[in-house]
Amino acid sequence: MSLAAFLAFAGLVLFAVVSPGPAVLMSARTGLSEGFRTGVMLALGIASGAVFWALAAMFGLHLIFDAAPSLLWALKIGGAAYLLWMAWHLWSDAKTPFIAEDARPVPRSPFAAYRLGLWTNLSNPKAVVIYSSIFLGTIRPETPTWILITLILMILVMETAWNSLVARIFSLERTRSTYISLKTVIDRCFGAALALLGVKIVAT
């Protein structure tokens, strides 16, 4: 694999990682409400979901979807339903007061945060389309296995680092103070954004 191809791959993955979507929204929301540590576990779950889709793209899952469009349609419906379910809970719980003490409210467990991140990314089947395009555009069939493993690890690291950074930014005290004062509005904005993304997944 040439240096140019490697840099192209890295740049495309970076673009895919930082593009606004359910993962970024959930990282921001988790950082705000549950703190940085929980946000890191969520980011690891998101990264695991991205690795799953990248491996699926590498092994040609997009070819299966092309041959059986109903499978992709079913996956889109399932993913959209999950995002809409999360959006409904954010919207309906928006008026629940935030516990504004010196210590944060007890966050969800590390495993629960990881699981939420994993399902958030698995619910977005567009990821397999994006990664399929990246692999098809930059990787040759004769690429050695060790390079492919390196590229998968790159995706894992970039997804984890970016979503952890988002969680960190939104976990800062100044950001948190703003969230406490505008919790209902912010939660409903997050909920509405997730709902729109769910609808977009089905519509495209």
Side-chain angles (χ1 to χ4, degrees), residues 177-192:
S177 297
T178 302
Y179 170 69
I180 291 172
S181 62
L182 298 172
K183 180 181 182 297
T184 300
V185 174
I186 292 174
D187 278 6
R188 287 188 170 172
C189 286
F190 275 122

Side-chain angles (χ1 to χ4, degrees), residues 9-186:
F9 183 92
L12 290 169
V13 170
L14 179 62
F15 176 78
V17 167
V18 303
S19 297
V24 174
L25 283 173
M26 289 307 299
S27 296
R29 177 61 172 72
T30 301
L32 274 171
S33 60
E34 300 182 58
F36 176 58
R37 291 184 180 181
T38 305
V40 171
M41 291 305 301
L42 180 97
L44 285 170
I46 290 170
S48 298
V51 166
F52 173 85
W53 286 125
L55 289 171
M58 187 186 298
F59 290 106
L61 184 58
H62 64 290
L63 297 177
I64 297 176
F65 287 154
D66 289 342
S70 59
L71 292 177
L72 179 58
W73 181 244
L75 186 59
K76 283 185 174 184
I77 292 175
Y82 180 70
L83 292 180
L84 289 171
W85 177 79
M86 289 196 298
W88 167 250
H89 278 279
L90 278 177
W91 185 279
S92 61
D93 295 339
K95 289 187 176 181
T96 302
F98 187 86
I99 303 174
E101 300 174 350
D102 291 339
R104 293 183 185 277
V106 177
R108 72 187 76 222
S109 69
F111 176 74
Y114 176 87
R115 183 178 57 198
L116 175 61
L118 178 64
W119 284 112
T120 296
N121 225 2
L122 291 182
S123 68
N124 184 14
K126 282 190 172 182
V128 74
V129 178
I130 294 172
Y131 282 117
S132 294
S133 301
I134 293 174
F135 276 98
L136 288 173
T138 59
I139 305 301
R140 294 180 178 273
E142 64 273 14
T143 301
T145 301
W146 71 269
I147 292 182
L148 295 177
I149 293 174
T150 301
L151 298 178
I152 292 295
L153 289 175
M154 178 196 296
I155 292 171
L156 179 68
V157 170
M158 292 175 72
E159 287 274 3
T160 302
W162 171 250
N163 289 295
S164 294
L165 176 61
V166 172
R168 176 56 180 163
I169 292 171
F170 280 84
S171 70
L172 296 175
E173 195 59 39
R174 180 176 297 180
T175 311
R176 182 170 174 260
S177 297
T178 302
Y179 170 69
I180 291 172
S181 62
L182 298 172
K183 180 181 182 297
T184 300
V185 174
I186 292 174

